[in-house]
Amino acid sequence: MLLRDLGTVSFGPDIREGVAEWNGEGETVGGIIVMRQGMNALDVINGVKQKLREIAPSLPPGVQIMPGYDRSELIDASIKTLQRDLLEEAVIVSLVIIIFLFHFRSALIAILALPIAVLCLSFPCTGWE
């Protein structure tokens, strides 16, 4: 007995893989933006947002690109927290130095050295290897 004796053989649709849903509203197409090692995440995110604004007018009617996960707000909040904490620490350390040294000009050297050290750590020199 052969297969043609039982019925007809034809090609059907491929098995669907990787179906994505958007907030339970239906199927969607997904994409991931991969950042190169050593790049600034905030610059990459802002560049992607700019490119999406540029291509938005050329999309077909009813098609829109929506970010599923945007880290820029988290990065901005982290930077603001770090700035606030560094300022608080600098003020506290400055007060402690002035109180213990009892001499403002001597304390000024240490007070000025702290922000310079933080800046040096923020922008490391790669040419001194």
Side-chain angles (χ1 to χ4, degrees):
M1 178 176 277
L2 298 174
L3 197 54
R4 68 175 168 230
D5 296 332
L6 298 174
T8 58
V9 177
S10 64
F11 287 104
D14 284 338
I15 298 173
R16 298 189 64 197
E17 295 177 358
V19 176
E21 292 231 7
W22 182 256
N23 293 332
E25 297 174 7
E27 294 179 8
T28 186
V29 176
I32 298 173
I33 296 167
V34 179
M35 181 178 68
R36 290 187 179 144
Q37 184 177 358
M39 298 294 291
N40 183 329
L42 201 53
D43 290 343
V44 171
I45 292 169
N46 290 334
V48 169
K49 287 180 180 180
Q50 176 63 31
K51 186 54 93 172
L52 290 177
R53 282 191 294 274
E54 289 175 13
I55 67 170
S58 64
L59 295 173
V63 174
Q64 54 182 317
I65 300 175
M66 300 182 65
Y69 177 61
D70 184 357
R71 302 191 305 179
S72 60
E73 292 177 12
L74 176 66
I75 293 170
D76 288 334
S78 298
I79 291 171
K80 288 177 184 172
T81 301
L82 181 63
Q83 288 173 337
R84 185 197 69 223
D85 290 348
L86 283 176
L87 181 63
E88 288 175 1
E89 289 177 21
V91 168
I92 291 170
V93 168
S94 301
L95 290 174
V96 168
I97 290 172
I98 290 172
I99 290 170
F100 281 106
L101 289 179
F102 296 115
H103 191 254
F104 181 74
R105 287 191 309 179
S106 299
L108 191 62
I109 295 171
I111 292 169
L112 290 177
L114 287 172
I116 292 171
V118 170
L119 286 175
C120 288
L121 291 174
S122 298
F123 304 104
C125 260
T126 57
W128 294 355
E129 296 174 358

mmCIF file of all heavy atoms in Angstrom, residues 76-127:
data_model
loop_
_atom_site.group_PDB
_atom_site.id
_atom_site.type_symbol
_atom_site.label_atom_id
_atom_site.label_comp_id
_atom_site.label_asym_id
_atom_site.label_seq_id
_atom_site.Cartn_x
_atom_site.Cartn_y
_atom_site.Cartn_z
ATOM 1 N N ASP A 76 18.982 57.912 33.759
ATOM 2 C CA ASP A 76 18.885 59.305 34.205
ATOM 3 C C ASP A 76 18.687 59.394 35.717
ATOM 4 O O ASP A 76 19.318 60.214 36.392
ATOM 5 C CB ASP A 76 17.730 60.027 33.491
ATOM 6 C CG ASP A 76 18.038 60.296 32.029
ATOM 7 O OD1 ASP A 76 19.227 60.399 31.677
ATOM 8 O OD2 ASP A 76 17.076 60.411 31.244
ATOM 9 N N ALA A 77 17.823 58.548 36.260
ATOM 10 C CA ALA A 77 17.589 58.555 37.703
ATOM 11 C C ALA A 77 18.849 58.144 38.463
ATOM 12 O O ALA A 77 19.158 58.707 39.515
ATOM 13 C CB ALA A 77 16.432 57.617 38.052
ATOM 14 N N SER A 78 19.593 57.191 37.933
ATOM 15 C CA SER A 78 20.836 56.757 38.577
ATOM 16 C C SER A 78 21.869 57.871 38.577
ATOM 17 O O SER A 78 22.575 58.067 39.580
ATOM 18 C CB SER A 78 21.406 55.533 37.861
ATOM 19 O OG SER A 78 20.521 54.458 37.922
ATOM 20 N N ILE A 79 21.977 58.602 37.484
ATOM 21 C CA ILE A 79 22.930 59.712 37.406
ATOM 22 C C ILE A 79 22.559 60.805 38.397
ATOM 23 O O ILE A 79 23.428 61.336 39.103
ATOM 24 C CB ILE A 79 23.001 60.264 35.959
ATOM 25 C CG1 ILE A 79 23.671 59.242 35.048
ATOM 26 C CG2 ILE A 79 23.744 61.592 35.913
ATOM 27 C CD1 ILE A 79 23.601 59.587 33.580
ATOM 28 N N LYS A 80 21.271 61.138 38.487
ATOM 29 C CA LYS A 80 20.839 62.167 39.445
ATOM 30 C C LYS A 80 21.102 61.730 40.887
ATOM 31 O O LYS A 80 21.537 62.535 41.719
ATOM 32 C CB LYS A 80 19.356 62.472 39.240
ATOM 33 C CG LYS A 80 19.081 63.247 37.972
ATOM 34 C CD LYS A 80 17.613 63.481 37.757
ATOM 35 C CE LYS A 80 17.399 64.171 36.428
ATOM 36 N NZ LYS A 80 15.996 64.267 36.070
ATOM 37 N N THR A 81 20.857 60.446 41.187
ATOM 38 C CA THR A 81 21.123 59.932 42.532
ATOM 39 C C THR A 81 22.612 60.000 42.839
ATOM 40 O O THR A 81 23.004 60.416 43.939
ATOM 41 C CB THR A 81 20.620 58.481 42.654
ATOM 42 O OG1 THR A 81 19.227 58.447 42.386
ATOM 43 C CG2 THR A 81 20.900 57.910 44.028
ATOM 44 N N LEU A 82 23.433 59.619 41.887
ATOM 45 C CA LEU A 82 24.878 59.662 42.089
ATOM 46 C C LEU A 82 25.370 61.089 42.308
ATOM 47 O O LEU A 82 26.174 61.343 43.214
ATOM 48 C CB LEU A 82 25.593 59.033 40.896
ATOM 49 C CG LEU A 82 27.113 58.996 40.970
ATOM 50 C CD1 LEU A 82 27.566 58.132 42.133
ATOM 51 C CD2 LEU A 82 27.691 58.499 39.668
ATOM 52 N N GLN A 83 24.866 62.042 41.522
ATOM 53 C CA GLN A 83 25.258 63.439 41.699
ATOM 54 C C GLN A 83 24.859 63.949 43.082
ATOM 55 O O GLN A 83 25.648 64.610 43.766
ATOM 56 C CB GLN A 83 24.624 64.309 40.613
ATOM 57 C CG GLN A 83 25.229 64.106 39.248
ATOM 58 C CD GLN A 83 24.472 64.855 38.162
ATOM 59 O OE1 GLN A 83 23.304 65.184 38.314
ATOM 60 N NE2 GLN A 83 25.144 65.095 37.050
ATOM 61 N N ARG A 84 23.645 63.643 43.493
ATOM 62 C CA ARG A 84 23.173 64.080 44.807
ATOM 63 C C ARG A 84 24.016 63.490 45.924
ATOM 64 O O ARG A 84 24.454 64.181 46.850
ATOM 65 C CB ARG A 84 21.703 63.699 44.983
ATOM 66 C CG ARG A 84 21.096 64.220 46.296
ATOM 67 C CD ARG A 84 19.804 63.530 46.669
ATOM 68 N NE ARG A 84 20.095 62.153 47.041
ATOM 69 C CZ ARG A 84 19.374 61.106 46.669
ATOM 70 N NH1 ARG A 84 18.300 61.256 45.936
ATOM 71 N NH2 ARG A 84 19.697 59.878 47.053
ATOM 72 N N ASP A 85 24.283 62.175 45.832
ATOM 73 C CA ASP A 85 25.057 61.502 46.871
ATOM 74 C C ASP A 85 26.498 62.004 46.928
ATOM 75 O O ASP A 85 27.060 62.164 48.008
ATOM 76 C CB ASP A 85 25.033 59.993 46.664
ATOM 77 C CG ASP A 85 23.660 59.400 46.945
ATOM 78 O OD1 ASP A 85 22.805 60.119 47.503
ATOM 79 O OD2 ASP A 85 23.438 58.221 46.608
ATOM 80 N N LEU A 86 27.090 62.256 45.769
ATOM 81 C CA LEU A 86 28.458 62.782 45.760
ATOM 82 C C LEU A 86 28.514 64.169 46.385
ATOM 83 O O LEU A 86 29.454 64.482 47.125
ATOM 84 C CB LEU A 86 29.007 62.827 44.335
ATOM 85 C CG LEU A 86 29.450 61.496 43.745
ATOM 86 C CD1 LEU A 86 29.868 61.672 42.295
ATOM 87 C CD2 LEU A 86 30.597 60.916 44.551
ATOM 88 N N LEU A 87 27.525 64.998 46.117
ATOM 89 C CA LEU A 87 27.487 66.333 46.715
ATOM 90 C C LEU A 87 27.322 66.235 48.228
ATOM 91 O O LEU A 87 28.029 66.923 48.976
ATOM 92 C CB LEU A 87 26.348 67.157 46.107
ATOM 93 C CG LEU A 87 26.211 68.582 46.621
ATOM 94 C CD1 LEU A 87 27.454 69.396 46.278
ATOM 95 C CD2 LEU A 87 24.973 69.233 46.052
ATOM 96 N N GLU A 88 26.421 65.371 48.684
ATOM 97 C CA GLU A 88 26.225 65.188 50.128
ATOM 98 C C GLU A 88 27.509 64.696 50.803
ATOM 99 O O GLU A 88 27.898 65.199 51.860
ATOM 100 C CB GLU A 88 25.099 64.191 50.394
ATOM 101 C CG GLU A 88 23.722 64.725 50.089
ATOM 102 C CD GLU A 88 22.639 63.661 50.239
ATOM 103 O OE1 GLU A 88 22.973 62.501 50.599
ATOM 104 O OE2 GLU A 88 21.467 63.980 49.990
ATOM 105 N N GLU A 89 28.162 63.725 50.180
ATOM 106 C CA GLU A 89 29.399 63.193 50.755
ATOM 107 C C GLU A 89 30.498 64.245 50.781
ATOM 108 O O GLU A 89 31.257 64.327 51.756
ATOM 109 C CB GLU A 89 29.848 61.964 49.973
ATOM 110 C CG GLU A 89 28.964 60.760 50.199
ATOM 111 C CD GLU A 89 29.377 59.567 49.363
ATOM 112 O OE1 GLU A 89 30.549 59.521 48.917
ATOM 113 O OE2 GLU A 89 28.547 58.680 49.167
ATOM 114 N N ALA A 90 30.588 65.041 49.739
ATOM 115 C CA ALA A 90 31.616 66.084 49.702
ATOM 116 C C ALA A 90 31.384 67.112 50.804
ATOM 117 O O ALA A 90 32.340 67.556 51.461
ATOM 118 C CB ALA A 90 31.618 66.763 48.335
ATOM 119 N N VAL A 91 30.137 67.486 51.028
ATOM 120 C CA VAL A 91 29.830 68.451 52.091
ATOM 121 C C VAL A 91 30.156 67.862 53.463
ATOM 122 O O VAL A 91 30.786 68.524 54.303
ATOM 123 C CB VAL A 91 28.345 68.884 52.008
ATOM 124 C CG1 VAL A 91 27.929 69.649 53.244
ATOM 125 C CG2 VAL A 91 28.102 69.711 50.756
ATOM 126 N N ILE A 92 29.765 66.613 53.698
ATOM 127 C CA ILE A 92 30.020 65.984 54.994
ATOM 128 C C ILE A 92 31.524 65.830 55.233
ATOM 129 O O ILE A 92 32.032 66.164 56.311
ATOM 130 C CB ILE A 92 29.304 64.620 55.079
ATOM 131 C CG1 ILE A 92 27.792 64.840 55.132
ATOM 132 C CG2 ILE A 92 29.774 63.820 56.292
ATOM 133 C CD1 ILE A 92 26.971 63.589 54.975
ATOM 134 N N VAL A 93 32.249 65.349 54.224
ATOM 135 C CA VAL A 93 33.692 65.184 54.379
ATOM 136 C C VAL A 93 34.360 66.538 54.606
ATOM 137 O O VAL A 93 35.265 66.664 55.435
ATOM 138 C CB VAL A 93 34.283 64.456 53.150
ATOM 139 C CG1 VAL A 93 35.797 64.523 53.138
ATOM 140 C CG2 VAL A 93 33.814 63.008 53.123
ATOM 141 N N SER A 94 33.916 67.559 53.892
ATOM 142 C CA SER A 94 34.487 68.893 54.060
ATOM 143 C C SER A 94 34.274 69.404 55.485
ATOM 144 O O SER A 94 35.199 69.961 56.105
ATOM 145 C CB SER A 94 33.860 69.870 53.065
ATOM 146 O OG SER A 94 34.076 69.444 51.751
ATOM 147 N N LEU A 95 33.071 69.227 55.999
ATOM 148 C CA LEU A 95 32.798 69.664 57.373
ATOM 149 C C LEU A 95 33.639 68.910 58.387
ATOM 150 O O LEU A 95 34.185 69.503 59.326
ATOM 151 C CB LEU A 95 31.310 69.504 57.690
ATOM 152 C CG LEU A 95 30.364 70.462 56.968
ATOM 153 C CD1 LEU A 95 28.917 70.094 57.260
ATOM 154 C CD2 LEU A 95 30.654 71.894 57.369
ATOM 155 N N VAL A 96 33.785 67.601 58.195
ATOM 156 C CA VAL A 96 34.589 66.799 59.119
ATOM 157 C C VAL A 96 36.055 67.237 59.074
ATOM 158 O O VAL A 96 36.704 67.388 60.115
ATOM 159 C CB VAL A 96 34.443 65.293 58.805
ATOM 160 C CG1 VAL A 96 35.469 64.468 59.553
ATOM 161 C CG2 VAL A 96 33.039 64.829 59.120
ATOM 162 N N ILE A 97 36.569 67.491 57.886
ATOM 163 C CA ILE A 97 37.963 67.932 57.752
ATOM 164 C C ILE A 97 38.162 69.285 58.428
ATOM 165 O O ILE A 97 39.140 69.498 59.158
ATOM 166 C CB ILE A 97 38.373 67.987 56.264
ATOM 167 C CG1 ILE A 97 38.471 66.569 55.704
ATOM 168 C CG2 ILE A 97 39.693 68.709 56.083
ATOM 169 C CD1 ILE A 97 38.679 66.513 54.207
ATOM 170 N N ILE A 98 37.259 70.212 58.191
ATOM 171 C CA ILE A 98 37.386 71.548 58.808
ATOM 172 C C ILE A 98 37.303 71.442 60.327
ATOM 173 O O ILE A 98 38.081 72.072 61.046
ATOM 174 C CB ILE A 98 36.292 72.491 58.257
ATOM 175 C CG1 ILE A 98 36.587 72.824 56.790
ATOM 176 C CG2 ILE A 98 36.211 73.770 59.076
ATOM 177 C CD1 ILE A 98 35.479 73.574 56.090
ATOM 178 N N ILE A 99 36.396 70.611 60.831
ATOM 179 C CA ILE A 99 36.245 70.469 62.284
ATOM 180 C C ILE A 99 37.501 69.869 62.908
ATOM 181 O O ILE A 99 37.978 70.331 63.948
ATOM 182 C CB ILE A 99 34.993 69.620 62.616
ATOM 183 C CG1 ILE A 99 33.734 70.414 62.282
ATOM 184 C CG2 ILE A 99 34.995 69.183 64.073
ATOM 185 C CD1 ILE A 99 32.458 69.603 62.341
ATOM 186 N N PHE A 100 38.083 68.854 62.265
ATOM 187 C CA PHE A 100 39.241 68.194 62.865
ATOM 188 C C PHE A 100 40.543 68.959 62.662
ATOM 189 O O PHE A 100 41.438 68.884 63.504
ATOM 190 C CB PHE A 100 39.381 66.765 62.339
ATOM 191 C CG PHE A 100 38.446 65.806 62.994
ATOM 192 C CD1 PHE A 100 37.343 65.320 62.325
ATOM 193 C CD2 PHE A 100 38.653 65.403 64.301
ATOM 194 C CE1 PHE A 100 36.468 64.441 62.930
ATOM 195 C CE2 PHE A 100 37.783 64.524 64.921
ATOM 196 C CZ PHE A 100 36.684 64.046 64.235
ATOM 197 N N LEU A 101 40.676 69.700 61.561
ATOM 198 C CA LEU A 101 41.915 70.436 61.337
ATOM 199 C C LEU A 101 41.890 71.824 61.977
ATOM 200 O O LEU A 101 42.937 72.413 62.220
ATOM 201 C CB LEU A 101 42.191 70.570 59.834
ATOM 202 C CG LEU A 101 42.599 69.301 59.103
ATOM 203 C CD1 LEU A 101 42.812 69.596 57.631
ATOM 204 C CD2 LEU A 101 43.860 68.698 59.695
ATOM 205 N N PHE A 102 40.708 72.352 62.181
ATOM 206 C CA PHE A 102 40.540 73.695 62.750
ATOM 207 C C PHE A 102 41.277 74.773 61.949
ATOM 208 O O PHE A 102 41.657 75.804 62.481
ATOM 209 C CB PHE A 102 41.017 73.762 64.215
ATOM 210 C CG PHE A 102 40.221 72.914 65.132
ATOM 211 C CD1 PHE A 102 40.796 71.838 65.769
ATOM 212 C CD2 PHE A 102 38.878 73.175 65.349
ATOM 213 C CE1 PHE A 102 40.060 71.044 66.630
ATOM 214 C CE2 PHE A 102 38.130 72.384 66.207
ATOM 215 C CZ PHE A 102 38.727 71.317 66.848
ATOM 216 N N HIS A 103 41.536 74.491 60.692
ATOM 217 C CA HIS A 103 42.243 75.469 59.856
ATOM 218 C C HIS A 103 41.674 75.356 58.445
ATOM 219 O O HIS A 103 41.860 74.336 57.774
ATOM 220 C CB HIS A 103 43.756 75.179 59.872
ATOM 221 C CG HIS A 103 44.554 76.278 59.261
ATOM 222 N ND1 HIS A 103 45.121 76.167 58.021
ATOM 223 C CD2 HIS A 103 44.864 77.519 59.734
ATOM 224 C CE1 HIS A 103 45.765 77.281 57.747
ATOM 225 N NE2 HIS A 103 45.626 78.131 58.764
ATOM 226 N N PHE A 104 41.016 76.416 58.008
ATOM 227 C CA PHE A 104 40.281 76.354 56.741
ATOM 228 C C PHE A 104 41.220 76.178 55.554
ATOM 229 O O PHE A 104 40.941 75.410 54.642
ATOM 230 C CB PHE A 104 39.405 77.602 56.558
ATOM 231 C CG PHE A 104 38.609 77.562 55.291
ATOM 232 C CD1 PHE A 104 37.507 76.731 55.173
ATOM 233 C CD2 PHE A 104 38.980 78.327 54.189
ATOM 234 C CE1 PHE A 104 36.780 76.675 53.995
ATOM 235 C CE2 PHE A 104 38.266 78.274 53.017
ATOM 236 C CZ PHE A 104 37.162 77.449 52.926
ATOM 237 N N ARG A 105 42.354 76.886 55.522
ATOM 238 C CA ARG A 105 43.243 76.796 54.362
ATOM 239 C C ARG A 105 43.846 75.400 54.220
ATOM 240 O O ARG A 105 44.020 74.904 53.118
ATOM 241 C CB ARG A 105 44.348 77.851 54.444
ATOM 242 C CG ARG A 105 43.799 79.240 54.174
ATOM 243 C CD ARG A 105 44.879 80.249 53.981
ATOM 244 N NE ARG A 105 45.865 80.221 55.074
ATOM 245 C CZ ARG A 105 46.921 80.985 55.128
ATOM 246 N NH1 ARG A 105 47.163 81.850 54.166
ATOM 247 N NH2 ARG A 105 47.747 80.910 56.143
ATOM 248 N N SER A 106 44.161 74.758 55.322
ATOM 249 C CA SER A 106 44.676 73.388 55.254
ATOM 250 C C SER A 106 43.578 72.427 54.801
ATOM 251 O O SER A 106 43.829 71.490 54.041
ATOM 252 C CB SER A 106 45.196 72.950 56.619
ATOM 253 O OG SER A 106 46.240 73.776 57.038
ATOM 254 N N ALA A 107 42.378 72.660 55.270
ATOM 255 C CA ALA A 107 41.250 71.809 54.884
ATOM 256 C C ALA A 107 40.905 71.991 53.411
ATOM 257 O O ALA A 107 40.426 71.066 52.756
ATOM 258 C CB ALA A 107 40.035 72.116 55.747
ATOM 259 N N LEU A 108 41.166 73.183 52.877
ATOM 260 C CA LEU A 108 40.841 73.481 51.483
ATOM 261 C C LEU A 108 41.591 72.559 50.525
ATOM 262 O O LEU A 108 41.049 72.156 49.495
ATOM 263 C CB LEU A 108 41.149 74.952 51.183
ATOM 264 C CG LEU A 108 40.632 75.502 49.876
ATOM 265 C CD1 LEU A 108 39.117 75.426 49.842
ATOM 266 C CD2 LEU A 108 41.095 76.934 49.698
ATOM 267 N N ILE A 109 42.814 72.196 50.868
ATOM 268 C CA ILE A 109 43.598 71.289 50.013
ATOM 269 C C ILE A 109 42.898 69.941 49.892
ATOM 270 O O ILE A 109 42.724 69.413 48.789
ATOM 271 C CB ILE A 109 45.029 71.131 50.576
ATOM 272 C CG1 ILE A 109 45.757 72.469 50.501
ATOM 273 C CG2 ILE A 109 45.790 70.051 49.812
ATOM 274 C CD1 ILE A 109 47.076 72.485 51.217
ATOM 275 N N ALA A 110 42.497 69.388 51.021
ATOM 276 C CA ALA A 110 41.798 68.096 50.991
ATOM 277 C C ALA A 110 40.432 68.220 50.332
ATOM 278 O O ALA A 110 40.004 67.325 49.592
ATOM 279 C CB ALA A 110 41.661 67.554 52.403
ATOM 280 N N ILE A 111 39.756 69.333 50.582
ATOM 281 C CA ILE A 111 38.414 69.529 50.013
ATOM 282 C C ILE A 111 38.491 69.621 48.490
ATOM 283 O O ILE A 111 37.645 69.081 47.783
ATOM 284 C CB ILE A 111 37.752 70.778 50.624
ATOM 285 C CG1 ILE A 111 37.438 70.529 52.105
ATOM 286 C CG2 ILE A 111 36.500 71.174 49.859
ATOM 287 C CD1 ILE A 111 37.030 71.772 52.863
ATOM 288 N N LEU A 112 39.499 70.277 47.965
ATOM 289 C CA LEU A 112 39.655 70.393 46.510
ATOM 290 C C LEU A 112 40.154 69.093 45.888
ATOM 291 O O LEU A 112 39.859 68.801 44.727
ATOM 292 C CB LEU A 112 40.605 71.536 46.169
ATOM 293 C CG LEU A 112 40.074 72.936 46.447
ATOM 294 C CD1 LEU A 112 41.138 73.981 46.124
ATOM 295 C CD2 LEU A 112 38.820 73.208 45.646
ATOM 296 N N ALA A 113 40.900 68.300 46.650
ATOM 297 C CA ALA A 113 41.432 67.047 46.120
ATOM 298 C C ALA A 113 40.326 66.012 45.890
ATOM 299 O O ALA A 113 40.424 65.191 44.974
ATOM 300 C CB ALA A 113 42.483 66.485 47.064
ATOM 301 N N LEU A 114 39.274 66.039 46.691
ATOM 302 C CA LEU A 114 38.205 65.048 46.565
ATOM 303 C C LEU A 114 37.494 65.100 45.207
ATOM 304 O O LEU A 114 37.389 64.089 44.520
ATOM 305 C CB LEU A 114 37.199 65.198 47.701
ATOM 306 C CG LEU A 114 37.687 64.716 49.066
ATOM 307 C CD1 LEU A 114 36.690 65.097 50.146
ATOM 308 C CD2 LEU A 114 37.903 63.226 49.033
ATOM 309 N N PRO A 115 36.986 66.277 44.770
ATOM 310 C CA PRO A 115 36.312 66.285 43.459
ATOM 311 C C PRO A 115 37.259 65.991 42.305
ATOM 312 O O PRO A 115 36.865 65.362 41.320
ATOM 313 C CB PRO A 115 35.728 67.694 43.344
ATOM 314 C CG PRO A 115 36.091 68.427 44.561
ATOM 315 C CD PRO A 115 36.856 67.534 45.459
ATOM 316 N N ILE A 116 38.527 66.406 42.451
ATOM 317 C CA ILE A 116 39.494 66.121 41.389
ATOM 318 C C ILE A 116 39.722 64.610 41.288
ATOM 319 O O ILE A 116 39.794 64.054 40.194
ATOM 320 C CB ILE A 116 40.812 66.882 41.642
ATOM 321 C CG1 ILE A 116 40.564 68.382 41.474
ATOM 322 C CG2 ILE A 116 41.912 66.411 40.703
ATOM 323 C CD1 ILE A 116 41.710 69.257 41.906
ATOM 324 N N ALA A 117 39.804 63.934 42.427
ATOM 325 C CA ALA A 117 39.971 62.480 42.427
ATOM 326 C C ALA A 117 38.762 61.784 41.816
ATOM 327 O O ALA A 117 38.903 60.824 41.049
ATOM 328 C CB ALA A 117 40.203 61.985 43.845
ATOM 329 N N VAL A 118 37.563 62.267 42.131
ATOM 330 C CA VAL A 118 36.350 61.673 41.556
ATOM 331 C C VAL A 118 36.335 61.867 40.041
ATOM 332 O O VAL A 118 35.989 60.962 39.282
ATOM 333 C CB VAL A 118 35.082 62.280 42.205
ATOM 334 C CG1 VAL A 118 33.834 61.869 41.456
ATOM 335 C CG2 VAL A 118 34.997 61.866 43.662
ATOM 336 N N LEU A 119 36.729 63.055 39.573
ATOM 337 C CA LEU A 119 36.784 63.303 38.128
ATOM 338 C C LEU A 119 37.817 62.409 37.456
ATOM 339 O O LEU A 119 37.594 61.909 36.352
ATOM 340 C CB LEU A 119 37.100 64.771 37.853
ATOM 341 C CG LEU A 119 35.954 65.751 38.099
ATOM 342 C CD1 LEU A 119 36.433 67.185 37.903
ATOM 343 C CD2 LEU A 119 34.796 65.465 37.174
ATOM 344 N N CYS A 120 38.948 62.207 38.099
ATOM 345 C CA CYS A 120 39.974 61.343 37.520
ATOM 346 C C CYS A 120 39.479 59.908 37.418
ATOM 347 O O CYS A 120 39.799 59.205 36.460
ATOM 348 C CB CYS A 120 41.252 61.400 38.351
ATOM 349 S SG CYS A 120 42.134 62.962 38.173
ATOM 350 N N LEU A 121 38.712 59.463 38.379
ATOM 351 C CA LEU A 121 38.167 58.108 38.331
ATOM 352 C C LEU A 121 37.045 57.997 37.308
ATOM 353 O O LEU A 121 36.810 56.933 36.750
ATOM 354 C CB LEU A 121 37.652 57.688 39.703
ATOM 355 C CG LEU A 121 38.724 57.476 40.769
ATOM 356 C CD1 LEU A 121 38.063 57.205 42.121
ATOM 357 C CD2 LEU A 121 39.637 56.340 40.389
ATOM 358 N N SER A 122 36.337 59.106 37.046
ATOM 359 C CA SER A 122 35.234 59.088 36.092
ATOM 360 C C SER A 122 35.726 59.024 34.659
ATOM 361 O O SER A 122 35.076 58.468 33.791
ATOM 362 C CB SER A 122 34.363 60.336 36.261
ATOM 363 O OG SER A 122 33.809 60.358 37.550
ATOM 364 N N PHE A 123 36.888 59.616 34.398
ATOM 365 C CA PHE A 123 37.445 59.655 33.044
ATOM 366 C C PHE A 123 38.839 59.038 33.059
ATOM 367 O O PHE A 123 39.832 59.748 33.077
ATOM 368 C CB PHE A 123 37.525 61.096 32.533
ATOM 369 C CG PHE A 123 36.214 61.811 32.551
ATOM 370 C CD1 PHE A 123 35.920 62.755 33.527
ATOM 371 C CD2 PHE A 123 35.244 61.516 31.615
ATOM 372 C CE1 PHE A 123 34.704 63.411 33.556
ATOM 373 C CE2 PHE A 123 34.028 62.160 31.630
ATOM 374 C CZ PHE A 123 33.759 63.108 32.599
ATOM 375 N N PRO A 124 38.920 57.703 33.075
ATOM 376 C CA PRO A 124 40.229 57.074 33.184
ATOM 377 C C PRO A 124 41.075 57.297 31.932
ATOM 378 O O PRO A 124 40.554 57.347 30.823
ATOM 379 C CB PRO A 124 39.897 55.587 33.356
ATOM 380 C CG PRO A 124 38.547 55.430 32.775
ATOM 381 C CD PRO A 124 37.836 56.746 32.970
ATOM 382 N N CYS A 125 42.354 57.451 32.136
ATOM 383 C CA CYS A 125 43.305 57.601 31.040
ATOM 384 C C CYS A 125 43.697 56.208 30.556
ATOM 385 O O CYS A 125 44.202 55.410 31.332
ATOM 386 C CB CYS A 125 44.553 58.354 31.516
ATOM 387 S SG CYS A 125 44.542 60.061 31.059
ATOM 388 N N THR A 126 43.507 55.928 29.283
ATOM 389 C CA THR A 126 43.865 54.612 28.758
ATOM 390 C C THR A 126 45.259 54.613 28.170
ATOM 391 O O THR A 126 45.779 53.572 27.813
ATOM 392 C CB THR A 126 42.860 54.167 27.688
ATOM 393 O OG1 THR A 126 42.821 55.161 26.661
ATOM 394 C CG2 THR A 126 41.484 53.974 28.272
ATOM 395 N N GLY A 127 45.891 55.775 28.057
ATOM 396 C CA GLY A 127 47.203 55.844 27.443
ATOM 397 C C GLY A 127 48.339 55.539 28.393
ATOM 398 O O GLY A 127 49.495 55.472 27.984
#
